[in-house]
């Protein structure tokens, strides 16, 4: 056994944990109203049967398997069906639908678990020598199709699971820099850092099941990136294993320099490379002392436009919050509907105070927007930050409602992905698409995406739902995070394509990017020319082609491979 | 005439302006003590004679010149000696020594001034069609050898001067984003922004004679980058002209997105590319509203170690200053010696108060370190920032001395480069080397660099000088900026090589980078493998080779070209 734990082969998270709504009385009515799904009568699908999966035999030449076993030991080279299935897909909606329907066009052939960087170097060399394909695997949480082998790949496909390389190697306390092995999962690396009083401050939705190597490889962003930076800022140094070369070491080493003028940034080529430039084995990351005070305050705005304007005003103010988040009215309605039954002060706030305020202000449930803004630092700093932000909120017609909702948000922030499996169990899609754009374009992007989704739902003839929140603020713009859902008809993936494509196209048509923090993979690559321009894609293809002429490293991801071998 | 102004062909800045020390009574004694140069008796060299320059005839095929003239008009294609000389070098010490001694191994052949991006596209295509070489030219302030043609280049070399493309095209006030043509010089672009109440906040030492295109191409950093970010953060969008292609537009367009997960960052490949990936024609830059209050406070620390520790403490505190700077004792001594004669309160402070304080604290002139810390924002914000910083300064044994010195610093901050010509006129070298490293390594880097310079001076048998300041702080480290000087012997460039090489080698040997913000060019490229690793260099060479297979774009800069054509 490898001791490396994986998520359910058919869904998100660990066995035995799932979304439930027994304690959320508003949930079922909301779902009925939003997508026409009656949870009281909906039939729950059986858990898919692993035995019924139709898996082709692995393309695993005995010499390659033996070579890998000679490197890591026989226990750490796996060709059994479960290992192959677990490493073939990430957890995108498309992945989950396919795995549930047994649609595994091209599974990985061999899974190998290196123990250290030397193992990785020898694995890389063995894979290249065998003219095989190598796909690095972290937590398996990717939702952009970055992990799956290319359909029709004729060469053996080796998944390199980094799960045994999960240590925080050391912490340079003077510099706030930690050397962390690429396979460290979020909770494991935070625990190692916390034991010495540090935090990395990177908390993506996938935190519990994603690794720092995966964060770097996909340009991840976390809930507190307003303060701690996106992963591109957090990652200062990198070690990346590439094929051995007669004239030089095969390990690409980017030293952890706070800022350097050393030509085109190789660090920024590795970040976002999704395995196409080699295997990330180690990240030197910025880490921070755990803050003295941490607070997430909730606010309400009369409407979405006011919420957006307030976030923008905060972004250019003297305030430096750790989180800036505002939900549109739809998501606010969803949040209120899916809250647990309330007790005590909470109930009084929700049922008495809030309605009273709304009446007095003339606000309506159709318009109000819930916002969370987080603060960290000394008690005095947090106090002053709240004052600065509070004044801006007030200027934009909003009001604070304290820390109660924020505590709930903080507790359940990593639970959202489980909802997708719950809906899939009942024949409905729930998925996300996120983007970023300059402040001046955000309202237009939002309107266009809502219209595009509604158009897509009309096209496929279903009642669909879409909602949004602004999740990260920058000086010049922000990230918009859309969540959408609809009940499947006869052709789940065909219908999903219609909706997902409409949303992505609306992004690029309105000056927004194809992804702020989920990566490109194959899910978003159809739009990358419309994002970074055809010439930009040509540059990336040139880079990949030059650096991996044999097309061994996760071919076909981000941009099409130059050598169209498949 | 082109209307594009250039610096002196033989030195820094505009004709008629230079460094003088008549009003700085401490300067001459300081120079005598530091490098043994007696300014009272030193013979001032004559201004070099342009007529005596030995310039080879241009390699400028009539067809190429005619093709360029057909694009921009005959007035804007120049092959005369002055234009060729002005565009051949930047302003590094090596450049200045060479130009003064008439050492122009390989001048550019043709200078062309495009009026717009369409001109640039046609120029690029004409250059590639003629199998010529293209070197983009901004303000000509580069000190890393990024502008000169490769020695022995057989092909025609075309310098593309961007000076006519200097407009702020528009400002997206809602997003704080300005579209700025690449050839805009610092003062010109700031004036255009200031007319509408904005600033870019980017103030390198070269500000008066450098362009935004040059800043982007060399990964520049400015004096207020602690707040506004290095140029890589400021540059959000880019337009880069590359050769026309049958299947796509030749203009690479990176949209101004605040943060994107679109694979390896093409934006971060263009930034720092020093012309090797094409011609930057336009930058979309973050701009900021001019702050309500701006203050630069001066502080003294008892010694260098205390100053470094204080900057580090500030970098992880709740304070967010715009400038953090501390000079070592040597540079502090230099600053005090080179100040103008004092009058009134200033004189009392310098001659009465400061000595008194030093006596009472037991500080010595051999140890004390002068620090500047800048603040911007609302009056209340600045007040609180000063309080936070003041407490940290006090914890580290330092004390504030008000805004007086900071006002002087602010006024003369762009004058330093003139000092180099003053010294060269008198047979002495004055130059700079800068680096960055994690906080934990800074003290070691500093000691090693001082020792390396002293060793180099001993080797060449001269009395040399070196001093340093910390110029930018980051969460995980800082930039150290060294200034060094010595009197030339018989072999100026040979002696310079000994000193410069010793310093650069000390950087990489002690965990620091070869440059924090001056670029690589050919001056620093001998050390780039020791910085970003041989495999990192291989990736960059692969990129350049794939994207410019004909090696037309500023060949040989940053890393050696793959096709060693020369």
């Amino acid at each position: 056994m490898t001791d490396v734990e994986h998520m359910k082969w058919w869904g998100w998270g660990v066995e035995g944990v799932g979304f439930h709504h027994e304690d959320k009385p508003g949930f079922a009515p909301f779902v009925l109203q939003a997508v026409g799904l009656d949870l009281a009568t909906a039939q729950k699908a059986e858990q898919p049967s692993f035995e019924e999966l139709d898996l082709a035999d692995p393309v695993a030449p005995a010499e390659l398997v033996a070579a890998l076993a000679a490197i890591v030991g026989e226990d750490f080279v796996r060709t059994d069906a479960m290992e192959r299935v677990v490493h073939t897909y990430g957890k995108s909606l498309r992945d989950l639908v396919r795995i549930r329907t047994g649609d595994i066009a091209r599974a990985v052939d061999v899974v190998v678990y290196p123990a250290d960087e030397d193992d990785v170097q020898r694995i890389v060399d063995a894979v290249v020598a065998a003219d095989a394909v190598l796909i690095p695997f972290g937590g398996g949480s990717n939702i952009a199709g970055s992990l799956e082998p290319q359909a029709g790949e004729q060469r053996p496909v080796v998944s390199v699971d980094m799960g045994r390389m999960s240590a925080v190697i050391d912490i340079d306390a003077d510099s706030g820099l930690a050397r962390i092995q690429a396979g460290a999962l979020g909770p494991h690396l935070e625990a190692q850092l916390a034991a010495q009083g540090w935090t990395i401050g990177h908390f993506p939705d996938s935190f519990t099941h994603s690794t720092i190597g995966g964060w770097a490889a996909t340009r991840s962003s976390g809930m507190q990136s307003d303060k701690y930076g996106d992963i591109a800022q957090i990652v200062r140094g990198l070690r990346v294993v590439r094929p051995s070369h007669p004239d030089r070491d095969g390990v690409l080493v980017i030293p952890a320099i706070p800022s350097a003028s050393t030509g085109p940034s190789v660090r920024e080529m590795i970040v976002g490379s999704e395995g196409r430039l080699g295997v990330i084995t180690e990240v030197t990351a910025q880490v921070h002392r755990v803050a003295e005070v941490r607070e997430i305050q909730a606010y309400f705005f009369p409407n979405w436009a006011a919420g957006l304007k307030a976030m923008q005003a905060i972004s250019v103010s003297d305030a430096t919050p750790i989180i800036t988040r505002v939900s549109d009215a739809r998501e606010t309605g969803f949040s209120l509907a899916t809250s647990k039954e309330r007790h005590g002060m909470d109930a009084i706030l929700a049922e008495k105070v809030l309605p009273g305020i709304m009446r007095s202000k003339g606000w309506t449930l159709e318009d109000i927007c819930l916002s969370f803004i987080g603060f960290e630092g000394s008690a005095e700093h947090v106090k002053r930050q709240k004052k600065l932000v509070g004044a801006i909120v007030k200027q934009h017609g909003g009001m604070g409602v304290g820390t109660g909702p924020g505590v709930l948000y903080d507790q359940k922030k990593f639970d959202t992905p489980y909802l997708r499996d719950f809906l899939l169990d009942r024949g409905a899609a729930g998925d996300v698409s996120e983007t970023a754009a300059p402040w001046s374009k955000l309202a237009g992007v939002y309107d266009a995406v809502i219209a595009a989704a509604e158009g897509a739902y009309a096209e496929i003839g279903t009642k669909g739902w879409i909602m949004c929140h602004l999740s990260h603020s920058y000086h010049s713009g922000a990230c918009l995070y859309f969540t959408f859902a609809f009940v499947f008809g006869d052709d789940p993936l065909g219908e999903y394509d219609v909706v997902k494509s409409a949303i992505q196209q609306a992004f690029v048509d309105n000056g927004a990017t194809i992804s702020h923090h989920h990566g490109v993979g194959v899910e978003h690559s159809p739009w990358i020319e419309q994002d970074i321009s055809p010439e930009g894609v040509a540059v990336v293809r040139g880079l990949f082609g030059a650096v991996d002429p044999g097309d061994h490293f996760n071919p076909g991801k981000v941009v099409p491979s130059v050598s169209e071998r498949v």
Side-chain angles (χ1 to χ4, degrees), chain A:
Chain A
M1 296 305 296
T2 64
D3 277 348
V4 176
E5 288 181 10
H6 297 108
M7 285 192 272
K8 299 163 184 160
W9 65 270
W10 56 270
W12 185 265
V14 290
E15 293 289 351
V17 178
F19 174 82
H20 62 99
H21 60 105
E22 286 73 16
D23 54 354
K24 304 179 187 76
F27 184 76
F30 189 92
V31 170
L32 182 61
Q33 177 263 324
V35 297
L37 176 66
D38 185 350
L39 295 177
T41 60
Q43 193 137 21
K44 181 177 180 300
E46 293 294 309
Q47 183 176 316
S49 158
F50 190 77
E51 282 64 39
E52 286 174 23
L53 284 183
D54 183 19
L55 199 64
D57 287 339
V59 183
E63 306 77 40
L64 175 60
V65 174
L68 295 173
I71 298 165
V72 295
E74 288 191 1
D75 286 353
F76 299 108
V77 181
R78 305 287 293 272
T79 55
D80 54 287
M82 181 60 87
E83 285 283 330
R84 291 177 60 211
V85 166
V86 163
H87 290 86
T88 290
Y89 288 142
K91 299 296 181 190
S92 74
L93 194 281
R94 188 183 307 279
D95 295 337
L96 298 180
V97 169
R98 287 187 295 181
I99 203 87
R100 282 164 175 261
T101 55
D103 174 4
I104 304 183
R106 180 66 174 88
V108 303
D109 300 303
V110 186
V111 179
V112 58
Y113 292 84
D116 56 27
E117 188 176 90
D118 187 52
D119 279 0
V120 176
Q121 181 70 70
R122 294 166 73 197
I123 291 167
V124 162
D125 292 339
V127 167
V128 171
D131 191 22
V133 163
L134 185 155
I135 304 178
F137 188 96
S141 67
N142 181 272
I143 60 170
S146 306
L147 290 170
E148 67 188 83
Q150 296 184 101
E153 177 64 69
Q154 301 294 313
R155 298 171 291 177
V157 177
V158 179
S159 176
V160 178
D161 188 311
M162 301 298 290
R164 293 169 72 199
M165 295 174 63
S166 64
V168 172
I169 298 170
D170 81 337
I171 300 174
D172 173 353
D174 269 347
S175 309
L177 287 170
R179 289 177 57 198
I180 306 172
Q181 288 186 304
L185 289 164
H188 185 53
L189 79 84
E190 268 296 303
Q192 292 176 79
L193 293 174
Q196 299 186 53
W198 297 92
T199 178
I200 193 169
H202 190 75
F203 303 107
D205 286 1
S206 65
F207 177 75
T208 50
H209 296 92
S210 54
T211 62
I212 188 167
W215 300 340
T218 58
R219 290 194 171 271
S220 168
S221 188
M223 292 173 191
Q224 298 176 196
S225 298
D226 282 16
K227 171 182 175 183
Y228 293 95
D230 298 319
I231 202 70
Q233 282 79 53
I234 293 171
V235 172
R236 303 316 314 166
L238 281 164
R239 294 182 66 92
V240 182
V241 172
R242 304 201 356 92
S244 290
H245 186 279
D247 301 336
R248 56 179 187 263
D249 195 82
V251 183
L252 187 160
V253 183
I254 300 299
I257 300 293
S259 183
S261 175
T262 47
S265 173
V266 177
R267 187 180 57 80
E268 288 270 8
M269 296 181 211
I270 304 297
V271 173
S273 60
E274 301 188 11
R276 292 208 55 170
L277 295 175
V279 182
I280 299 171
T281 53
E282 188 184 307
V283 168
T284 302
Q286 284 187 186
V287 294
H288 298 249
R289 286 291 179 193
V290 175
E292 183 186 326
V293 176
R294 179 175 194 276
E295 269 187 34
I296 299 180
Q297 292 282 336
Y299 305 86
F300 277 101
F301 289 97
N303 54 57
W304 176 237
L308 286 185
K309 284 282 179 200
M311 297 306 118
Q312 177 178 11
I314 292 168
S315 81
V316 294
S317 75
D318 291 330
T320 51
I322 61 165
I323 301 170
T324 47
R325 178 185 169 112
V326 58
S327 293
D328 69 356
R330 294 155 178 254
E331 193 170 284
T332 300
F334 175 77
S335 291
L336 295 175
T338 56
S339 295
K340 292 185 184 181
E341 284 184 279
R342 292 186 181 83
H343 306 284
M345 278 308 292
D346 241 23
I348 293 169
L349 174 68
E351 285 146 31
K352 301 265 163 63
V353 181
L354 187 58
I357 290 166
M358 289 179 59
R359 269 194 308 274
S360 76
K361 287 190 174 271
W363 291 357
T364 68
L365 262 181
E366 284 67 45
D367 288 324
I368 62 163
C369 292
L370 175 61
S371 170
F372 292 118
I373 301 180
F375 307 95
E376 277 187 6
S378 67
E380 192 190 348
H381 180 75
V382 167
K383 187 178 163 194
R384 171 153 167 78
Q385 294 284 316
K386 283 193 289 187
K387 193 178 152 203
L388 285 170
V389 165
I392 293 170
V393 168
K394 200 173 170 189
Q395 279 162 21
H396 291 81
M399 61 171 296
V401 290
T403 54
V407 170
L408 280 179
Y409 161 74
D410 229 12
Q411 284 167 354
K412 66 177 189 179
K413 61 191 174 188
F414 301 131
D415 296 347
T416 322
Y418 285 103
L419 187 53
R420 236 164 17 159
D421 292 306
F422 176 89
L423 289 173
L424 281 174
D425 281 344
R426 288 147 184 93
D431 199 28
V432 295
S433 266
E434 40 72 58
T435 187
W439 289 110
S440 62
K441 295 181 178 173
L442 284 182
V445 169
Y446 175 82
D447 291 343
V449 170
I450 300 293
E454 301 291 0
Y457 296 141
E459 182 182 338
I460 59 179
T462 190
K463 181 175 169 60
W465 174 254
I466 184 164
M467 62 188 183
C468 176
H469 64 268
L470 177 153
S471 63
H472 302 77
S473 296
Y474 302 84
H475 176 77
S476 64
C479 169
L480 291 184
Y481 196 108
F482 293 88
T483 303
F484 56 97
F486 63 96
V487 178
F488 285 132
D490 297 335
D491 177 17
L493 286 188
E495 293 154 14
Y496 174 71
D497 279 342
V498 171
V499 180
K500 173 80 176 169
S501 297
I503 292 170
Q504 292 295 134
Q505 191 63 49
F507 288 164
V508 292
D509 285 348
N510 292 278
T513 184
I514 56 175
S515 175
H516 168 264
H517 60 267
H518 283 161
V520 184
V522 293
E523 194 68 48
H524 299 141
S525 62
W527 291 274
I528 193 162
E529 280 206 348
Q530 296 176 65
D531 188 322
I532 65 170
S533 81
E535 196 61 37
V537 169
V539 167
V540 177
R541 292 185 78 181
L543 169 67
F544 290 164
V547 170
D548 178 26
D551 212 17
H552 300 295
F553 293 91
N554 209 5
K557 308 302 154 48
V558 184
V559 294
S561 295
V562 173
S563 62
E564 309 266 351
R565 285 188 59 144
V566 172

